Amino acid sequence: MASKLHKSTKPKRPSSLHATNKKKLKKRNLANPNLIPLGKNPIIADFENKAKEELRKKKKKGKEAEHDALLLSTLPAAQQLRFFLDRYQSANGIKLSPLELEAFKDTSVVELPQDVAQDVDNFSDHIKTAFGDSWREALCEGNLSDGIDAGSPAVLVISASALRSLELLRGLKKFTKECRPAKLFAKHMKVEDQVSILKGRVNIASGTPSRIKKLIDMDAMLLSRLTLVVLDMHRDAKGYTLLTLKQIRDEFWDLYKSHFHQRLLQGDTRFCFYGSRSGTEIEKDGVGGLIIAC
């Protein structure tokens, strides 16, 4: 009686599960009766993962190197202008009519040669090319003469930071022996000192949007000779540029609307994008058949 009770309380294994396990065991034994499943070797798995990661990095690096050969400023002027106007509309929440867009001419944008790197060392060569035969008179001469207004640069370089402004000025040293450049940024520079510099002849000025606008609004800096505005597209350590770093971007568009928009429309001033915009960025946002993001 006790044995029967003990037998009845023993848990029963589900017949279907038992049958399935028997089939798997039989199949494994037929394939290799000595096989002992150990699972995936963690050392081999780690090696394989590292190898895959290295391969992925190499492919990514190769693509980036390929993309970096294509800069915004080497694209046709029409596409550069389209990029600029798209950013202008987006940042200011406006939409220009087709008639308004037609008023902008491709000649207002400077195309830079593709075979010369856009770095600090080559900056002077690019600027010289943009001015053509008149480069010496516009960029090098140091004395005020009839028809030359004090404090009116021929070239204005706009950057996102004071440090970058100084870097680009180093690339223009060959032009500034007779006529010192104007450093138009707030860091370690007093407005009074900048006003003093602008009382003489100035061929080249470099600075940040906020301080440039302040000096123009004060009538310390004039725009009568302004032939070329260089927009520095250098990316900082976090990947931001003049047109993407929020506060600087807003200050730039404020400066543009106040003092450059009409000059661009009238053809008195040309714009030039300089450096550090790669084809990687061209894959993010469409502009006239190409994709450019800022």
Side-chain angles (χ1 to χ4, degrees), residues 79-130:
Q79 289 168 342
Q80 293 187 51
L81 181 60
R82 174 72 184 279
F83 162 80
F84 182 77
L85 293 176
D86 279 357
R87 286 293 166 270
Y88 169 62
Q89 294 176 89
S90 175
N92 294 281
I94 60 176
K95 186 172 180 61
L96 299 176
S97 68
L99 189 60
E100 289 174 313
L101 290 171
E102 286 179 6
F104 292 90
K105 305 301 180 185
D106 297 350
T107 52
S108 62
V109 179
V110 176
E111 290 184 45
L112 299 180
Q114 297 186 24
D115 56 346
V116 181
Q118 291 181 33
D119 52 23
V120 172
D121 294 336
N122 292 313
F123 192 30
S124 60
D125 292 334
H126 285 291
I127 298 299
K128 181 179 175 180
T129 300

Side-chain angles (χ1 to χ4, degrees), residues 135-191:
W135 69 270
R136 189 177 298 278
E137 178 185 353
L139 302 173
C140 297
E141 294 183 4
N143 298 320
L144 283 173
S145 58
D146 292 339
I148 299 292
D149 291 328
S152 180
V155 177
L156 176 62
V157 182
I158 306 178
S159 299
S161 69
L163 181 60
R164 180 61 181 173
S165 295
L166 288 173
E167 286 180 3
L168 289 177
L169 280 178
R170 285 202 299 271
L172 300 177
K173 276 187 176 180
K174 66 169 64 176
F175 300 140
T176 58
K177 294 176 181 177
E178 291 184 30
C179 184
R180 65 187 292 195
K183 302 172 185 177
L184 309 181
F185 43 79
K187 192 170 185 179
H188 307 308
M189 297 290 292
K190 295 180 180 179
V191 172

Side-chain angles (χ1 to χ4, degrees), residues 260-290:
F260 299 145
H261 186 75
Q262 287 302 317
R263 294 187 66 85
L264 194 68
L265 277 172
Q266 295 166 5
D268 297 326
T269 298
R270 295 189 298 164
F271 273 60
C272 170
F273 296 103
Y274 195 76
S276 293
R277 289 206 49 81
S278 70
T280 305
E281 297 165 295
I282 295 179
E283 295 177 351
K284 296 178 184 175
D285 183 23
V287 175
L290 286 178

